[in-house]
Amino acid sequence: MHSILPRLVEWLGWLLLFGLLLLGVPPFLHMPIWVDATLYDTAAWNMWLGGVHYRDVFDTNLPGMPWAHLAVRVVLGWSSMSLRAVDLAVFAGSTLVMVDLLRRCQISRSGQVWAAVGWIGFYVYLSEFCQTQRDTWMILPALLAVRRRFDRLVSASDDPPRDWIFRLTVLEGAIWAVAFWVKPHIAFPVIGVWLASIPQIRQFGSGAIIRDFLGLILGGLCMGILGMIWIVMTGTLEPMREVFLEWNPGYLEWTWLEMLHRYCSFWMNFPVWSLVHGLAIPVAVISLAARRTTPEMLAVRMLAGLYLGWLFQSLIFQRSLQYVHVPGVLLGIAVLASRAIPAGGILLGWCGLTAGLCLIRPHYSCVQSAMEAYSHHFPRTYEATIAEPGYSVRNRIRFWPECWTFETDPYRKIQLSHLYGIYPSSEPFLLERVANYLEKQSLQPGDLLCWNEGTHPLYLRLQHVPTFRFMHVGTALGFKHKRAQIHQELLRIRPKFVVTDWYAYPDVDVEALPNGEVGGSLPKSFPKPACDQFPWNQPIRYRSGRYVVHEIQYPLGDVDLKSPMSD
């Protein structure tokens, strides 16, 4: 009986893993992509046409993600499905590397399977806001670098050549630098992993620690030089310098102002799943304190160092955005699994239990009363511990048979969206009507301005580069000390049409005007200050649901410089 039970547990894990993949992957591939992915797609399109990043498409980050999008698009095309397929492949690669590291922690195959169940049950079923994002993509090179470090330290002989650590660390540093080009915040996980491996390196003499550190730096510099060659040759250096020296200090200040909110929301970013940190943090600290230098303990310590370094940068130096914390949850599950704690299966089971209670709540008064009392007396705890099934989750099951195709359907996309109708999401079938109207206007380069984030797919659909480099205008306007510059750059362009998203103002009655080619004024529900400001003050020529095409008349008048991100 004792030998059968572990095998049954393992097979149950395999069965659940297969079921999660079967149910989740087809809808995952058909879901829409978020506006951040559209931004980097547009940046990649601009690069492909010979444009200059930062000058033509504003970005506060290093150019690693536009490079990645450009590589994907050149090879696989410009459909949302191809990008989501790559996102799934990146996640799958990260999962396989984490499973391999757990194997090196001497964790049983059952423990590895249940950890994978947790990772898949978490990531594949997230909203589009948290998928195809930079933070999840850079975890793969980070894990590969950890794997490389483990193999290098374990395979070293007892009497290695004096320069072996320095020579072999260069490759690891280059792998870390790939992630650095996506986001420089990876420097803190690098430090965490390096500190975690010091007890092992110390065995090879005091000088080995210094040589190991210098090898990481040299490998990073090699990759940095390759990137800088591209930056210089494409004329990107000067606009990049402007962004990093004149804009990004304000961005860092922005992150400091959000710090209290970031701490308060940390435990509720992902209901149930974020609770993993409550146990993973102390377990990681205890693991780092262990001084045994066995190979399995080295893997445990490095996973702990990677996790704590990741949490540090996400809590201190990043914005209060949900997707930032996705890798932290994945690594938290890995840290607990490395100590034989099946957090992935436990959290997934709790999600299923609470979701089931939410589904039966309307039919059983005792369940209804208990959950209402819980949410009333402990609202924040309720939010953190109850996984309520959303409309989109039910639609995954409803549209699952239709997702076994390589053809993407705009209507199916919005039905699978977790954020349908929420600003600044996009509605593809409504934008397609706008694109059809604009195609009849004989647009020339520079004639189209897409004001709100959800309208940006029109640039790619119509094969235009952005007329106004501040695509995420709400984010750009959050730099209050730069609003005058944004205003001046807007006055220097001469587009003929501007497309707006009326969901930017949630109280506006978007049905006040008929769909199609229309004239007329803004609805009475429109905010009074905005009515006399660009772009809302421009004559209306076409409406498709929430999206409106205005024909621009000059002078523009006052400009709506209110940022929904900070005002």
Side-chain angles (χ1 to χ4, degrees):
M1 181 65 183
H2 291 291
S3 61
I4 295 176
L5 185 59
R7 190 172 298 178
L8 287 175
V9 171
E10 180 185 336
W11 277 105
L12 177 61
W14 280 111
L15 184 64
L16 188 55
L17 186 148
F18 178 75
L20 288 170
L21 289 174
L22 186 64
L23 178 62
V25 168
F28 177 96
L29 295 173
H30 283 266
M31 287 172 63
I33 57 175
W34 190 244
V35 295
D36 297 327
T38 304
L39 168 67
Y40 290 119
D41 268 351
T42 310
W45 173 252
N46 177 62
M47 290 178 180
W48 180 247
L49 295 179
V52 177
H53 196 52
Y54 303 107
R55 184 199 69 187
D56 302 330
V57 177
F58 181 78
D59 186 12
T60 58
N61 303 283
L62 290 171
M65 202 60 174
W67 290 342
H69 274 244
L70 180 59
V72 171
R73 293 319 196 178
V74 168
V75 175
L76 298 178
W78 293 86
S79 72
S80 61
M81 183 180 287
S82 63
L83 185 65
R84 295 192 69 84
V86 171
D87 185 59
L88 186 65
V90 170
F91 168 70
S94 300
T95 298
L96 291 174
V97 179
M98 286 190 287
V99 166
D100 183 67
L101 288 171
L102 291 182
R103 182 175 63 83
R104 293 163 191 278
C105 295
Q106 300 300 312
I107 298 302
S108 68
R109 191 166 61 181
S110 177
Q112 299 168 33
V113 170
W114 279 99
V117 165
W119 294 323
I120 292 167
F122 170 63
Y123 185 74
V124 174
Y125 293 84
L126 287 173
S127 75
E128 61 268 30
F129 179 67
C130 296
Q131 295 163 344
T132 63
Q133 292 283 6
R134 291 167 294 153
D135 295 79
T136 309
W137 282 30
M138 73 177 181
I139 196 176
L140 178 56
L143 288 166
L144 290 172
V146 171
R147 171 73 163 71
R148 172 66 182 167
R149 170 162 288 257
F150 176 89
D151 287 347
R152 184 166 51 82
L153 293 178
V154 170
S155 63
S157 63
D158 292 334
D159 186 21
R162 184 176 180 81
D163 64 343
W164 76 273
I165 289 181
F166 177 81
R167 188 172 62 250
L168 297 180
T169 308
V170 173
L171 177 58
E172 181 195 335
I175 299 173
W176 283 114
V178 172
F180 189 93
W181 275 113
V182 177
K183 267 191 176 181
H185 307 76
I186 197 66
F188 295 98
V190 174
I191 294 171
V193 172
W194 182 73
L195 291 175
S197 61
I198 282 181
Q200 203 85 10
I201 302 173
R202 191 177 287 140
Q203 298 179 93
F204 309 112
S206 58
I209 296 176
I210 297 175
R211 291 196 299 275
D212 181 72
F213 179 77
L214 291 177
L216 288 176
I217 297 298
L218 179 60
L221 287 175
C222 289
M223 290 299 294
I225 289 172
L226 290 177
M228 287 304 298
I229 290 173
W230 177 90
I231 287 171
V232 172
M233 291 183 63
T234 57
T236 308
L237 184 60
E238 178 54 31
M240 181 179 179
R241 182 207 64 79
E242 179 214 358
V243 169
F244 277 80
L245 296 184
E246 299 179 18
W247 290 77
N248 279 1
Y251 196 92
L252 185 60
E253 181 183 350
W254 202 349
T255 64
W256 291 116
L257 294 174
E258 293 180 343
M259 190 169 292
L260 179 60
H261 173 265
R262 194 154 55 247
Y263 290 155
C264 294
S265 63
F266 176 66
W267 303 100
M268 293 173 289
N269 281 310
F270 308 103
V272 178
W273 294 102
S274 289
L275 298 177
V276 71
H277 302 301
L279 186 57
I281 291 173
V283 167
V285 171
I286 294 171
S287 298
L288 283 179
R291 289 304 172 203
R292 285 189 293 127
T293 56
T294 58
E296 59 268 22
M297 202 60 224
L298 173 63
V300 169
R301 280 201 309 270
M302 289 199 299
L303 274 174
L306 180 66
Y307 169 67
L308 292 176
W310 210 291
L311 283 192
F312 179 80
Q313 60 85 19
S314 63
L315 285 172
I316 302 297
F317 294 104
Q318 296 223 50
R319 293 281 316 283
S320 299
L321 299 169
Q322 193 183 41
Y323 66 77
V324 166
H325 301 283
V326 169
V329 172
L330 297 174
L331 291 173
I333 294 172
V335 165
L336 293 178
S338 72
R339 305 311 295 248
I341 302 173
I346 293 172
L347 291 171
L348 184 64
W350 185 256
C351 284
L353 175 63
T354 56
L357 289 173
C358 291
L359 290 175
I360 67 172
R361 178 170 56 186
H363 309 289
Y364 295 90
S365 58
C366 58
V367 177
Q368 178 84 7
S369 301
M371 296 190 75
E372 285 181 354
Y374 182 29
S375 63
H376 176 72
H377 294 291
F378 308 99
R380 296 183 71 83
T381 307
Y382 179 91
E383 186 178 349
T385 58
I386 302 297
E388 297 198 16
Y391 172 74
S392 59
V393 176
R394 293 191 289 272
N395 270 358
R396 281 175 181 257
I397 300 173
R398 176 187 170 192
F399 287 95
W400 182 81
E402 300 179 24
C403 292
W404 291 87
T405 175
F406 291 107
E407 296 181 4
T408 56
D409 180 84
Y411 176 74
R412 189 187 306 126
K413 278 186 182 182
I414 67 165
Q415 294 300 320
L416 293 171
S417 170
H418 290 232
L419 302 170
Y420 170 54
I422 298 176
Y423 183 83
S425 64
S426 296
E427 296 188 36
F429 73 99
L430 293 178
L431 286 176
E432 183 62 24
R433 296 177 190 169
V434 175
N436 292 336
Y437 170 77
L438 291 172
E439 283 180 326
K440 301 174 183 176
Q441 309 308 311
S442 303
L443 295 181
Q444 300 299 314
D447 284 351
L448 177 63
L449 171 58
C450 297
W451 185 255
N452 302 103
E453 287 92 326
T455 65
H456 293 157
L458 289 170
Y459 284 131
L460 296 170
R461 166 65 177 79
L462 298 170
Q463 298 187 344
H464 280 241
V465 296
T467 304
F468 188 44
R469 68 163 172 157
F470 300 104
M471 288 182 60
H472 285 194
V473 66
T475 300
L477 290 171
F479 297 88
K480 296 183 179 180
H481 67 295
K482 288 290 186 178
R483 289 184 179 179
Q485 178 180 340
I486 296 171
H487 189 199
Q488 289 302 314
E489 291 195 31
L490 177 63
L491 295 179
R492 285 199 292 268
I493 61 175
R494 303 288 292 185
K496 292 183 177 180
F497 295 95
V498 57
V499 183
T500 60
D501 180 357
W502 282 9
Y503 275 15
Y505 291 99
D507 296 328
V508 171
D509 178 14
V510 297
E511 301 300 331
L513 291 177
N515 280 307
E517 297 188 39
V518 295
S521 57
L522 295 170
K524 294 181 179 179
S525 57
F526 219 89
K528 293 300 180 185
C531 290
D532 298 323
Q533 296 175 328
F534 181 87
W536 321 103
N537 63 351
Q538 300 300 305
I540 297 170
R541 294 292 178 257
Y542 185 85
R543 186 179 83 86
S544 174
R546 57 195 274 194
Y547 303 114
V548 176
V549 179
H550 307 256
E551 184 175 2
I552 299 178
Q553 294 182 348
Y554 295 91
L556 300 181
D558 292 336
V559 179
D560 183 3
L561 295 179
K562 182 184 77 68
S563 168
M565 309 290 291
S566 61
D567 290 335

